[in-house]
Amino acid sequence: RVGRESVGKNMAPVSEIASLVHQESLFTAPFYPNVIFNLSRNAIEQCRINILPYIGAPVAHHEMQDALTFDMDYKMYIFQNSWMLSKEERDAIHKNVEREGRVLVYKYASGFLSPDCPKASADNITELTGIKMKEVKGPHSCSIILTEEAAKLGLTPGEEVGVYDMLVESGSHFNSYGGGKPYKIEMADIDPVFVVDDPDATVLGVYKETGEPAFAMKTENGCTKVYMGSTCINRKILRAFAKMANVHLNTEEDSVIYENESYLAVHAMHDGITEISLRDEYELKEMFTGEIIDKSKKVSLDMKKGDTKLFEKR
């Protein structure tokens, strides 16, 4: 039925956030079968499943080469696993992606390796992110404590981030790892460890174990670049940077949102009212029940946890 309703509709996505995966970097990280805390799995798969769907805005998924080849106009870019980048790729990021008003979010060890450089170095991270970094002795955990500066972004100083805080309640690993019970995603210690060493950067978080700067941002030529010393960036943090980039958030709750020009889908993660903000005034028709919601830019949906609603925007 939804397929028939879709005929003639504009199915173009309305995402303002791009999640980028770098194929070559996949071959630089160790992989151990059946180990849930693999570096690539934590950086990419767990983020795609347990973080990005819940930030309150639709996210477009691309290979990094798309962003370096085509003129993609997103407001926020998340570099999931950019561990090994060539000089050509770095130059393309500086030229094509770093633009005024955008927010670029780099995760653990972004740019650490380069096929053009004989030695892995924190200087490579500095060159990519614009935030001066140094390498220190590891290993230690990915746990990061937010500083007072984080409050300016609407975050809570003292809160622990950099680890997955949502329990896994379903999916292919649910029974195999959790025995049919909700379980927490465990993360391996990081080694090497990279510390922010830039007096011009705003330190937003420090490593829980050492108190050294781990999470920072810096704005140059109107482009804000972020470094997070973990493969996990929590939902609240991504929402905060999305706001900085003027991304439209459909909701600030942990609800799953999918949207294109013609449809809006909402999947509730809790019982009760979910507040939805639309980009423009729309009348909404629920595709499975036929329910009509009057034209508005603000919608309150009374849903049960696990409910999904699909609306045609009219």
Side-chain angles (χ1 to χ4, degrees):
R1 179 170 59 183
V2 174
R4 291 199 298 271
E5 293 279 359
S6 298
V7 176
K9 297 296 183 183
N10 186 349
M11 306 302 286
V14 294
S15 304
E16 296 177 319
I17 302 173
S19 167
L20 305 179
V21 171
H22 189 240
Q23 294 295 325
E24 285 76 9
S25 288
L26 291 170
F27 299 101
T28 67
F31 179 80
Y32 305 100
N34 300 320
V35 178
I36 199 167
F37 48 72
N38 284 315
L39 187 62
S40 291
R41 183 175 292 170
N42 272 328
I44 302 171
E45 179 185 355
Q46 299 293 3
C47 183
R48 282 179 169 178
I49 295 172
N50 296 293
I51 299 291
L52 294 181
Y54 304 96
I55 65 176
V59 177
H61 298 274
H62 292 275
E63 292 188 8
M64 187 184 295
Q65 199 59 39
D66 294 343
L68 306 185
T69 305
F70 305 105
D71 186 18
M72 301 196 311
D73 190 20
Y74 292 98
K75 295 180 178 180
M76 179 172 162
Y77 292 77
I78 306 169
F79 295 81
Q80 302 290 4
N81 69 323
S82 53
W83 303 312
M84 184 180 73
L85 299 176
S86 66
K87 182 180 185 304
E88 182 181 4
E89 289 171 321
R90 294 165 193 264
D91 288 345
I93 290 172
H94 296 323
K95 179 181 178 181
N96 300 334
V97 184
E98 292 178 12
R99 295 184 183 175
E100 185 175 356
R102 290 180 176 176
V103 174
L104 278 52
V105 180
Y106 293 99
K107 296 163 76 171
Y108 169 74
S110 289
F112 178 52
L113 306 172
S114 171
D116 307 300
C117 181
K119 182 180 179 181
S121 170
D123 291 340
N124 293 334
I125 304 176
T126 299
E127 192 281 329
L128 174 65
T129 65
I131 300 173
K132 187 176 180 182
M133 308 292 298
K134 67 178 181 181
E135 183 177 343
V136 301
K137 185 178 181 181
H140 63 62
S141 75
C142 294
S143 295
I144 295 170
I145 304 300
L146 295 179
T147 65
E148 292 296 329
E149 287 289 338
K152 297 177 182 178
L153 297 179
L155 301 171
T156 305
E159 184 174 338
E160 183 175 350
V161 298
V163 294
Y164 289 96
D165 53 1
M166 178 181 285
L167 294 177
V168 177
E169 299 182 272
S170 63
S172 59
H173 296 306
F174 179 60
N175 286 310
S176 57
Y177 291 107
K181 298 180 180 179
Y183 69 94
K184 184 179 180 181
I185 297 171
E186 299 295 335
M187 299 181 66
D189 288 349
I190 52 174
D191 189 12
V193 178
F194 302 105
V195 170
V196 176
D197 186 29
D198 191 333
D200 296 323
T202 300
V203 175
L204 302 170
V206 297
Y207 288 114
K208 183 178 180 179
E209 293 182 21
T210 65
E212 294 180 292
F215 172 32
M217 68 177 184
K218 187 176 182 179
T219 300
E220 294 180 322
N221 300 319
C223 179
T224 298
K225 289 175 276 189
V226 178
Y227 178 82
M228 165 61 84
S230 171
T231 53
C232 171
I233 304 183
N234 305 79
R235 300 176 299 282
K236 290 180 182 178
I237 291 175
L238 290 177
R239 282 192 205 113
F241 286 118
K243 289 180 182 179
M244 179 181 292
N246 291 316
V247 169
H248 176 82
L249 293 174
N250 295 98
T251 181
E252 296 190 35
E253 305 174 22
D254 289 343
S255 295
V256 180
I257 300 291
Y258 294 99
E259 185 183 15
N260 60 29
E261 291 290 349
S262 301
Y263 294 97
L264 171 72
V266 182
H267 179 79
M269 296 303 296
H270 62 83
D271 293 343
I273 301 297
T274 297
E275 301 288 347
I276 301 294
S277 172
L278 303 173
R279 298 166 189 273
D280 204 346
E281 288 192 350
Y282 293 99
E283 177 187 80
L284 298 179
K285 177 184 177 183
E286 213 289 319
M287 299 302 296
F288 299 106
T289 65
E291 174 191 6
I292 300 293
I293 298 178
D294 292 338
K295 194 171 186 178
S296 177
K297 291 185 70 172
K298 299 285 186 180
V299 178
S300 297
L301 303 177
D302 190 2
M303 303 174 71
K304 297 290 187 181
K305 181 178 179 179
D307 284 354
T308 299
K309 292 182 179 291
L310 175 63
F311 296 99
E312 179 190 9
K313 300 188 298 188
R314 303 163 65 165

